[in-house]
Every structure is written in C-alpha cells, then in structure tokens.
Amino acid sequence: MRFLFLTMAVLYVSGCVADKTPALSSRALAPNQILIETRLVEHGVVFSSPRAVTVNGTETRIVIGQSIDVPGLVEPIPTGVALTLVPRIQDGRIAFAGSCEVKRPAGELDQPGFRAASFLTREAYFAGIANSGEEKKVQLEQPTGPPITLTLKFLIMVNTAGR
C-alpha cells in the first residue's frame, strides 16, 4: 500500500497524472441569474404580480393579457400588461432599464352600420440601479383617476451547488 501511495505521488509530481477536478474560474462562480419580481397595483389592489428569472444582461419580456377583436382589423389587438426589462449585475448591484405598458379596452360602440372600439394605454420608461432585494417603484399616470404603481424587485441568484 505504501508503495502505491509513493508511486502515485511521484507520478503526480512528474506530471504523468493530472488532477481531474475541473478548475472553476472566478467567472464560473459569479452569479449570472437574476430573479425579477413585479407587482402592479391600482386602487390599492394588486392586479398582476408576474415573476421571471433571467440571465445577466438578457432582455426579458413578460406579457400578461388577451387579444381583442376590433372592427376594421384582421388581427386582434393585444391588451393587458407588457413589461420589458434588461437587468445587469454591476459591482454586486443590479443596473436595469425597461418599459411597462398597460393597455385596456376603454369602450365599444356597436350600431347598425357602424362599430368602434377604443383603448386606454399607459406607458412608462425607466432605468436605475438597485441592491439585491431592494424595491423600486414606477408610477403609470393617467389623466383621470389614480395611477398604476409598478413595483420592481431584483434578486441576484447565487449558485450554491457544489459548495
């Protein structure tokens, strides 16, 4: 047994046996995924709270809604919430840019010989920087009534497998 141990030590030192453990670079250990939690509130009521996991620096688009047929168009009009975000991990924080669109039917007219449909669309564009777990709020204003509040929360996901 002692002979085998000494032989392996000599072979290892001379370079004949290589360590088969894969070397982990600091880049491989760096977090590269971000959890995005959102909440849309109107009149004090949460009407949507989507979540998504994205890769660092990758555009993420979350769409929640339906399509509505409108007069005069072949393709239906998409309504609901469309959220686009690009988060990037920088120095342990999350820099982000994005937009949020909320589109809802506002009215419909159906008379003999005449049909019409209208929609109310609110959009906001934003950019900022946040600590992991910190919330940021965006207001989607409207001419009448309360705004829609979009709350964004980013969490850096750390890979703990293999530790």
Side-chain angles (χ1 to χ4, degrees):
M1 181 71 150
R2 187 172 180 198
F3 176 76
L4 182 60
F5 177 76
L6 290 175
T7 304
M8 287 302 292
V10 170
L11 290 173
Y12 186 82
V13 170
S14 65
C16 294
V17 176
D19 185 4
K20 299 296 183 193
T21 307
L24 294 176
S25 69
S26 61
R27 185 170 180 84
L29 292 176
N32 69 346
Q33 291 185 327
I34 302 166
L35 171 64
I36 303 167
E37 295 180 341
T38 65
R39 191 172 56 252
L40 288 129
V41 177
E42 185 176 31
H43 299 289
V45 177
V46 176
F47 69 89
S48 185
S49 57
R51 294 179 180 179
V53 174
T54 187
V55 175
N56 183 24
T58 303
E59 181 179 281
T60 300
R61 186 159 169 84
I62 302 169
V63 179
I64 301 171
Q66 61 185 11
S67 294
I68 297 177
D69 291 325
V70 295
L73 294 179
V74 175
E75 295 292 321
I77 298 291
T79 61
V81 177
L83 181 62
T84 304
L85 288 163
V86 179
R88 286 185 172 76
I89 299 171
Q90 293 179 348
D91 301 323
R93 299 179 78 196
I94 301 104
F96 61 92
S99 65
C100 182
E101 177 184 290
V102 179
K103 181 183 255 183
R104 295 185 174 150
E108 192 173 326
L109 179 64
D110 193 359
Q111 298 176 344
F114 184 70
R115 292 182 59 217
S118 60
F119 297 87
L120 177 62
T121 302
R122 289 182 260 183
E123 291 182 85
Y125 297 86
F126 48 85
I129 192 159
N131 292 315
S132 184
E134 181 182 3
E135 290 186 348
K136 297 291 184 173
K137 295 185 186 264
V138 178
Q139 299 286 341
L140 286 86
E141 301 291 340
Q142 63 180 348
T144 59
I148 292 175
T149 302
L150 167 65
T151 303
L152 300 166
K153 183 177 178 181
F154 302 93
L155 296 163
I156 297 173
M157 299 181 68
V158 179
N159 183 2
T160 58
R163 286 187 180 180

